[in-house]
Structures are given as C-alpha cells and as structure tokens.
Amino acid sequence: MEVTDANAAMLSNFEVFQLLTDLKEQRKGTKNKNSTGQQNLNTIMYETLKYLSKTPCKLQSPEILREFLTAMMDHKLTRAEKLQLLNHRPRTAVEIQLIVEESEERLTEQQIDELIQTITVCLPGDPEEEQATEMQQEQADVEAEDEED
Amino acid sequence: MFVLVEMTDTVRIPPWQFERKLNDAIAEELNKKLANKVVYSVGLCICLYDITKLEDSYIFPGDGASHTKVHFRYVVFHPFLDEILVGKIKACSQEGVHVSLGFFDDIVIPPESLQQPTKFDEAEQVWVWEYETDEGAHDLYMDIGEEIRFRIVDETFVDTSPTGPSSADASTSTSEEVQKESPYRLTGSISEPGLGLLSWWTNS
C-alpha cells in the first residue's frame, strides 16, 4: 500500500457527517454488515457519527457552507481558521481569539463583533440552546426593569 | 480535524465475489482493511471517500482471485497542529488529564499544560484548577465526563508492526508485560484563556 498524498484536502465536520450518514443508509439494505470483517467499520462509523451529531455540523447544509464562505471572504482569514469557525461556531470573543492567530494584531474589537454576528446569522445554532439564552436574556431584562422601579 | 488522503493499493477479490460489481467489492475490501486503523504518519482512517482510478485486474497462476490496483481517497482523522478540539474527560492521573473523542481515545494533557495553578487531588483522583480572583480562591474540579476544549500541541506516531522473533531470554522475562503502545497519540494544552472545561467559559 502506498500513500501518494497524505494531505490532499481538508474536510469539514459537515462533509464527513454527510458521508457517514449516506454510507449508513447505503449499508442498511446489505446482508453481511455484521460480519467480523465489517465490525471495525461499524464501530468507527457509530462513534464518529455520535461525536459529530453533538457538534454544530449536524444543522448545516451545502448551501449554508457556501453562504458562510462567501461571507468570510472579506475578513482575510486562512483556510484553517475558516474551517475551525465552521466546525465550532464560536459565540464569544474569547473563542474567536483562540481560533484566529494573533487576533489582537489582525482584528479590531469591532471586527470581532462583526465576525460573531456573521457566524450567528449564517450558521444555524442548537435550537434548545438558543431558547435557553433567549430566556436568560428576557429574565435579565425583567430583573433590570424591576430594579428601575 | 479530518483530511482526505490519496492512497494506492492492490486489492484481492476472491472468486466467490465475482458476481458483485467490482467497485462495491473493492470498496468493501478497502474498508475492511483500513477502517478504524492507524496508518503510520497519516492518522486514524475513518472510511472510504471515493475510488479515483481502477487499473486492469489480473489473475495470477495458482490463485483464482483477481488483483486490481486501485487509486482511492480515504477520510482520515488527523488534526493539524494548534487546532482547537472539544472532547470529554475520560480519566485523570498523575500523567495528566486523559481526553477522549469517542472514536479516538489517546489524547493526554500533561500537568504543565494545564491552567496554572493546578494541583492533583489524591483523594478524588482529579485535577483541580485553583482559580484566584480578588474575592478569593475558587476550586474548579476537572471531573470525568465533562466536556473540555483544548488545543493540539503535539502528535506521536509509534510503529507497532511486529518485530522479528526475540531471543529466548528476552521472551521469558517479558512474557507477562504485553507492551500495548498506542500507535497514534495526541498531546493537548489548555493553558490559554478560553480553553478548559466548557462550563468555565460560558456566559451566565
């Protein structure tokens, strides 16, 4: 066996998730998928799908990816940084600073806020979490109003 | 986290599988050979992405099976240096914090890469970050099962292919210790703001 190119392309979590889901559908009909030879594939597919379904990639689609990458074109980020933003969907400035190298020199605070806004708009988030943060925000608003009275 | 690796290999299809479509038989053989296995200096192979080229199939004397040279691309888990990943704490020991991703287990965060100052609590066998603010010191426990965000700082590949027969003395003394070295190991770090347990950094 020969490895011709150990780094031919980078794949986003969404692409791997889609590939594994399609493969799983394809293998549903076949008869010998539980033979000893196939156990390794079954194990790795199950574990990887389990891990990826808890990440933001579960809610993405090819159109969303395209839209996100077009929106990111003005921000001058490297491919690796855009990939990490896509896979992690950061919501705070601290997370952005982890992903983008030398962010203090390359991005102003306003640009970081713009980045967070673009990410929140383009990439869908976990609906349960969004509801929880909305409720927290509403509660905080109500408490602030009570204090004013 | 995942990369596409181009590889070439000769695949053997036994005669009883000749009725199947060649592409399907080859895909199954490749997955059987590589899925969930570590290739030295490449990474943990996940599944076949596609077959780019099939060369002519040959049958050799003495063996009824066909041999086909295949060019294909495989999805491999191979995070790049300084990549941020999220995993679950599997165990804590003197060596550091062991993190698992479900499909990949050999990630260690050594004590010097933990948030400083951190100490090891012997009673509960967990690492504790002693976070000091003006109000006082908070003890943040790194419990098992917690989700943790970390940065990859190093990777180690170990060649676990079997070595030749060892001498008689060596085999009798090491018969009890079976050396189980993981072929692919990652070293992480959480010594930056934003890294560590997710619960430490969420806005509440």
Side-chain angles (χ1 to χ4, degrees):
Chain A
M1 189 176 85
E2 211 185 278
V3 176
T4 26
D5 190 352
N7 212 331
M10 292 196 287
L11 290 173
S12 67
N13 287 7
F14 167 69
E15 289 169 302
V16 178
F17 183 69
Q18 202 178 38
L19 184 73
L20 289 174
T21 339
D22 290 343
L23 189 60
K24 194 165 115 166
E25 279 302 314
Q26 226 179 47
R27 295 180 78 229
K28 261 193 189 160
T30 59
K31 35 186 184 140
N32 64 336
K33 58 183 191 277
N34 278 329
S35 67
T36 37
Q38 302 290 330
Q39 278 304 67
N40 267 326
L41 181 63
N42 292 344
T43 311
I44 194 78
M45 269 176 62
Y46 171 72
E47 294 285 353
T48 313
L49 278 172
K50 196 164 101 172
Y51 175 80
L52 290 177
S53 54
K54 294 207 212 104
T55 64
C57 79
K58 187 173 68 155
L59 306 155
Q60 293 168 357
S61 74
E63 296 80 35
I64 293 179
L65 251 68
R66 224 172 298 144
E67 204 189 293
F68 177 74
L69 288 172
T70 351
M72 286 288 125
M73 279 200 312
D74 327 308
H75 291 268
K76 286 196 269 202
L77 298 167
T78 67
R79 266 191 26 222
E81 289 166 354
K82 283 187 268 193
L83 183 65
Q84 288 189 81
L85 290 175
L86 188 59
N87 287 343
H88 286 271
R89 195 180 181 263
R91 272 164 305 181
T92 60
V94 174
E95 293 172 62
I96 303 250
Q97 278 166 359
L98 279 179
I99 291 178
V100 178
E101 269 179 69
E102 296 176 8
S103 52
E104 306 94 41
E105 297 171 13
R106 286 162 61 188
L107 299 171
T108 63
E109 259 197 53
Q110 194 201 17
Q111 284 176 317
I112 294 187
D113 280 333
E114 271 174 29
L115 207 52
I116 297 181
Q117 269 300 83
T118 324
I119 292 175
T120 322
V121 164
C122 285
L123 301 177
D126 187 3
E128 285 177 5
E129 267 189 50
E130 310 266 287
Q131 232 182 25
T133 32
E134 262 180 43
M135 282 169 58
Q136 275 176 0
Q137 192 60 41
E138 281 175 21
Q139 226 180 16
D141 289 342
V142 167
E143 283 168 17
E145 276 182 34
D146 284 344
E147 280 184 27
E148 283 172 32
D149 297 338
Chain B
M1 210 186 321
F2 299 102
V3 289
L4 214 54
V5 178
E6 281 175 20
M7 300 197 244
T8 318
D9 196 12
T10 310
V11 177
R12 177 182 183 270
I13 305 291
W16 53 88
Q17 292 198 22
F18 280 175
E19 55 176 2
R20 299 180 67 185
K21 288 185 70 170
L22 186 60
N23 282 42
D24 296 340
I26 288 187
E28 192 182 305
E29 282 299 311
L30 287 174
N31 276 328
K32 212 191 281 190
K33 178 171 177 177
L34 290 173
N36 206 13
K37 304 236 170 88
V38 172
V39 176
Y40 187 69
S41 288
V42 172
L44 173 70
C45 296
I46 307 284
C47 72
L48 181 72
Y49 185 76
D50 64 2
I51 297 176
T52 42
K53 185 166 157 200
L54 280 177
E55 298 190 18
D56 292 335
S57 306
Y58 292 93
I59 296 186
F60 296 110
D63 184 8
S66 75
H67 295 78
T68 322
K69 188 158 177 197
V70 190
H71 299 253
F72 58 97
R73 293 190 289 189
Y74 220 85
V75 177
V76 175
F77 170 70
H78 189 187
F80 50 87
L81 198 62
D82 288 343
E83 183 169 357
I84 305 286
L85 292 179
V86 176
K88 275 211 173 123
I89 296 185
K90 190 177 67 169
C92 283
S93 75
Q94 294 287 7
E95 271 181 21
V97 180
H98 300 264
V99 183
S100 157
L101 295 178
F103 59 94
F104 185 75
D105 270 353
D106 299 307
I107 305 175
V108 179
I109 306 179
E112 51 272 11
S113 309
L114 298 172
Q115 297 270 13
Q116 296 305 329
T118 312
K119 73 171 201 297
F120 189 60
D121 185 339
E122 292 290 341
E124 306 206 11
Q125 292 282 304
V126 286
W127 286 93
V128 188
W129 180 28
E130 293 161 330
Y131 179 55
E132 293 215 4
T133 59
D134 308 318
E135 304 150 347
H138 297 271
D139 270 356
L140 298 170
Y141 282 81
M142 301 179 68
D143 296 319
I144 297 187
E146 291 286 342
E147 299 216 333
I148 182 171
R149 190 184 290 131
F150 58 97
R151 191 190 284 279
I152 303 286
V153 292
D154 194 19
E155 66 184 17
T156 332
F157 282 102
V158 177
D159 192 4
T160 53
S161 26
T163 53
S166 47
S167 64
D169 304 317
S171 58
T172 44
S173 55
T174 56
S175 52
E176 282 108 37
E177 319 159 19
V178 177
Q179 261 181 326
K180 266 181 86 177
E181 268 237 66
S182 42
Y184 181 32
R185 225 192 219 167
L186 291 172
T187 313
S189 153
I190 54 168
S191 58
E192 284 167 63
L195 297 178
L197 261 57
L198 296 186
S199 52
W200 293 350
W201 302 100
T202 48
N203 301 344
S204 48

